[in-house]
């Protein structure tokens, strides 16, 4: 039995699994300088963006990802003013970061301008904060941008990248992580999307813990959250602190003080719980 042409499917071959969505129309198809960018209308999940055949986001569940990539780190930091987002070209993470009134500047550096232009056209709700005077959108290689960043100039760095192949490969390496740490002020925090706890707990999450530790981050912790449209339906982000407690929540309390759909104070605490089979990879002892 196979799905007909009205279904999009993303197989994860090594795991013998696929995620599928019923699609109703292809809205966009572009070979950019870096990747194959497609946008579809789906039957029940709103719009779907793919890069090189992999799901980047759907209208229906992207809020979970964007909120969990930004709010835990921004609330763990006592006073996040200057934020850098590497990747994140759909602008959803930028929108969440700018919900924090204390943030003075949020710079997004994506290698591929075509992703942002497509998001402006097909996911305008994610781009609502692009005209905020605190936002700066650059189109350049994030590895190079961070290598050239001023030391001690940032409070939070969020790496909202594609999978660690192709242009994003360097974003998972130790030299890049060292440069991120150097660019952070003391007390600064970095966040890296770190793939599926079920499929990549040792190969990516465990390796990232080792690399962040080698790069000089003194606390490294992984949080998890559901994400139905990513392989396995369950995703992770790994945080590293430069002399910071990456799990702290300030101010204490249940609500963030602005509108969210997934994140709140209870989710913040619960997300850092390490499942038994992940404890080694997550450095939870
Ligand atoms: N986290 C989502 C996922 O896992 O499917 C990805 C969202 S976001 C659209 C990923 C972005 O990272 C893409 O727009 C891509 O262009 C960007 N990217 C990949 N490598 C990069 C690099 N070296 N520097 C800056 N941006 C990069």
């Amino acid at each position: 039995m196979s799905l007909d042409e009205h279904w999009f499917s993303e197989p994860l071959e090594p795991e013998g699994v696929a995620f599928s969505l019923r699609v109703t129309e292809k809205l966009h198809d572009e070979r950019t300088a870096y990747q194959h960018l497609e946008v579809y209308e789906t039957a029940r999940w709103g719009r779907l963006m793919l890069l090189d055949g992999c799901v980047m986001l759907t209208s229906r569940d992207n809020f979970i990802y964007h909120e969990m990539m930004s709010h835990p780190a921004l609330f763990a930091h006592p006073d996040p003013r200057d934020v850098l987002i590497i990747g994140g070209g759909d602008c959803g993470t930028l929108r969440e970061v700018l919900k924090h009134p204390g943030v003075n500047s949020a710079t997004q550096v994506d290698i591929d301008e075509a992703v942002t232009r497509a998001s402006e056209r097909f996911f305008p709700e994610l781009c609502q904060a692009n005209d905020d005077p605190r936002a700066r959108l650059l189109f350049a290689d994030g590895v190079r941008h961070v290598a050239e960043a001023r030391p001690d100039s940032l409070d939070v760095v969020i790496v909202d990248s594609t999978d660690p192949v192709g242009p994003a490969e360097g974003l998972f390496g130790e030299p890049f992580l060292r440069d991120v740490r150097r660019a952070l002020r003391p007390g600064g925090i970095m966040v890296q999307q770190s793939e599926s706890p079920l499929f990549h707990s040792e190969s990516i999450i465990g390796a990232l813990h080792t690399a962040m530790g080698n790069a000089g981050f003194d606390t490294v912790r992984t949080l998890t959250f559901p994400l139905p449209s990513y392989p396995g339906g369950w995703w992770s982000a790994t945080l590293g602190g430069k002399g910071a407690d990456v799990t702290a929540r300030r101010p204490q309390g249940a609500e963030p003080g602005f509108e969210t759909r997934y994140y709140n104070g209870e989710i913040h605490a619960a997300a850092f719980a390490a499942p038994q089979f992940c404890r080694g990879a997550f450095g939870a002892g």
Side-chain angles (χ1 to χ4, degrees), residues 35 55-56 65 87 90 109-111 115 141-142 160-162 167-168 230:
Q35 46 216 345
V55 175
M56 287 299 111
Y65 177 83
D90 56 70
V109 183
D110 197 293
I111 202 165
V115 175
D141 180 9
D160 179 0
S161 71
T162 37
Y230 283 1

Side-chain angles (χ1 to χ4, degrees), residues 10 63 68 77 103 118 159 188-189 207 283:
E10 179 185 344
F63 67 96
M68 293 306 281
H77 193 289
V103 168
V159 186
I189 294 175

